[in-house]
Amino acid sequence: MVDDERDGVRLTSLDAPLGDGLGVTKGDLVDHLDAFADRLVPQLAGRPLSVKRVRPGQEPFMQRNVAKGAPDWVRTVPVWSSGAHRQVHQVLCDDRRTLLWLANQRAVEFHVPFFHAGAETEPTGVVLDLDPPEGADFAVVVRAAELVRRALADAGLAGAVKTSGSKGVHVVVPVRGAGPEDAAAATRALAARAAALDPDLATTAYIKEDRHGRVFLDSTRSGSSTIVAAYSPRIRPGLPVSAPVAWEDLPSVRPGDVTVTTAPDRLGDGDPWARLLPPPQELPADLVAEGHTIPVARVAAMHEGKRRARAKRSAEG
């Protein structure tokens, strides 16, 4: 049954629950994405898109390959998937019509890489993802974000901050003139410098048991990984939104306050994310060089996990 049609897209089941335990309807999702289309689409356009979808009675799932039966006007780009060991065709969400079609597919989360299709060697930004320990107050995230801000300033850089839509925040730094490996290296160095400012508060430890109640400064989302776009909902009760925040307002933020139903009133008609982001910056050579001396977190964690497993077997033997 068609409930509405917008921009030529037939929208169905708008009064139905969006998904289990979310407390919103499919129409709430569609209305939010439509209201923020002029602010979301510029972030998504030209970038291979990964979406996280929901269906009543099923677990949420990440989708990179375009859904079967997509209209012929939905643009896609072929991308090699190392996880699937094959080429997939990811959507390029270049306009409102495509965004509405994805909304009708119950696509809730919109994740994009820091590069445009065909320009994988030209990162447009780097990000530090700040993840608090379980049960921690948001105030510890704010304090850790200020460490990152200080590390950036010490390196002659500036970044913008937004809530992740979950428990933490993202600090995004637009960049130019660096390849993906150098961008990833600089992010590792920034994380290390920020953590060194207060080792009791923040850590770069990838293995959870090594964090000991500290905020994790995750540097692994730069390079080929993705980040959830500003204004994208997240799959949690009430559908909180990844919301831009001015640095001076961060201490007063409550992450769950901005949702798909409250975002229009709280964020207004403008585009605070575009306004808060500084212009692209060149990464300092010393920062990049320092980062190349720091092991890639996932690789180091894998080797450390194997080492600990061998030590445990040896001790038990």
Side-chain angles (χ1 to χ4, degrees):
M1 176 181 173
V2 177
D3 293 337
D4 195 5
E5 185 171 321
R6 305 182 198 177
D7 209 358
V9 178
R10 294 156 60 93
L11 303 168
T12 60
S13 306
L14 297 182
D15 291 334
L18 178 64
D20 299 341
L22 296 178
V24 297
T25 66
K26 183 179 173 184
D28 291 328
L29 171 68
V30 171
D31 288 344
H32 169 80
L33 294 177
D34 197 10
F36 283 85
D38 60 337
R39 287 158 278 190
L40 256 173
V41 169
Q43 299 179 71
L44 309 180
R47 300 178 191 265
L49 179 64
S50 302
V51 296
K52 198 167 188 179
R53 296 173 57 193
V54 296
R55 289 175 180 158
Q58 297 185 21
E59 289 294 316
F61 60 98
M62 186 69 81
Q63 182 165 13
R64 294 178 175 85
N65 207 15
V66 64
K68 292 181 179 179
D72 56 11
W73 44 261
V74 172
R75 293 185 62 219
T76 63
V77 61
V79 177
W80 178 258
S81 170
S82 56
H85 304 291
R86 63 185 176 90
Q87 195 175 71
V88 298
H89 289 80
Q90 292 184 240
V91 170
L92 297 175
C93 186
D94 294 338
D95 51 33
R96 174 182 178 238
R97 180 167 63 160
T98 304
L99 185 65
L100 287 169
W101 175 76
L102 289 164
N104 197 53
Q105 298 271 315
R106 285 186 164 89
V108 178
E109 299 187 6
F110 293 76
H111 298 253
V112 287
F114 280 107
F115 60 80
H116 291 90
E120 289 81 358
T121 59
E122 301 175 26
T124 57
V126 300
V127 61
L128 281 175
D129 180 3
L130 278 58
D131 185 20
E134 195 66 37
D137 189 85
F138 188 69
V140 301
V141 182
V142 174
R143 289 167 52 207
E146 286 297 338
L147 299 181
V148 174
R149 190 183 187 190
R150 283 171 53 193
L152 285 170
D154 291 345
L157 297 170
V161 63
K162 66 183 182 71
T163 65
S164 66
S166 179
K167 302 179 297 180
V169 299
H170 297 146
V171 180
V172 176
V173 183
V175 302
R176 58 183 171 86
E181 291 186 1
D182 283 351
T187 314
R188 294 195 296 274
L190 282 169
R193 291 183 181 186
L197 293 172
D198 190 343
D200 293 329
L201 171 65
T203 180
T204 60
Y206 192 79
I207 300 174
K208 282 189 175 182
E209 64 190 54
D210 293 343
R211 297 176 192 169
H212 306 299
R214 294 171 291 176
V215 177
F216 175 43
L217 309 184
D218 185 359
S219 63
T220 65
R221 296 201 168 276
S222 295
S224 60
S225 294
T226 62
I227 180 178
V228 70
Y231 312 115
S232 170
R234 303 303 301 270
I235 301 175
R236 285 162 180 79
L239 256 60
V241 169
S242 179
V245 185
W247 280 106
E248 59 269 22
D249 295 334
L250 192 58
S252 62
V253 163
R254 294 181 180 178
D257 283 352
V258 182
T259 68
V260 294
T261 54
T262 66
D265 290 336
R266 290 189 171 271
L267 298 178
D269 296 328
D271 188 350
W273 188 236
R275 186 178 70 251
L276 293 170
L277 281 171
Q281 305 145 88
E282 290 190 5
L283 292 168
D286 67 311
L287 189 72
V288 173
E290 179 182 335
H292 280 297
T293 69
I294 301 173
V296 176
R298 286 193 178 96
V299 176
M302 178 185 68
H303 289 307
E304 177 61 15
K306 291 180 178 178
R307 186 196 67 78
R308 293 183 187 184
R310 287 196 301 269
K312 183 178 179 181
R313 288 196 300 269
S314 177
E316 290 173 346

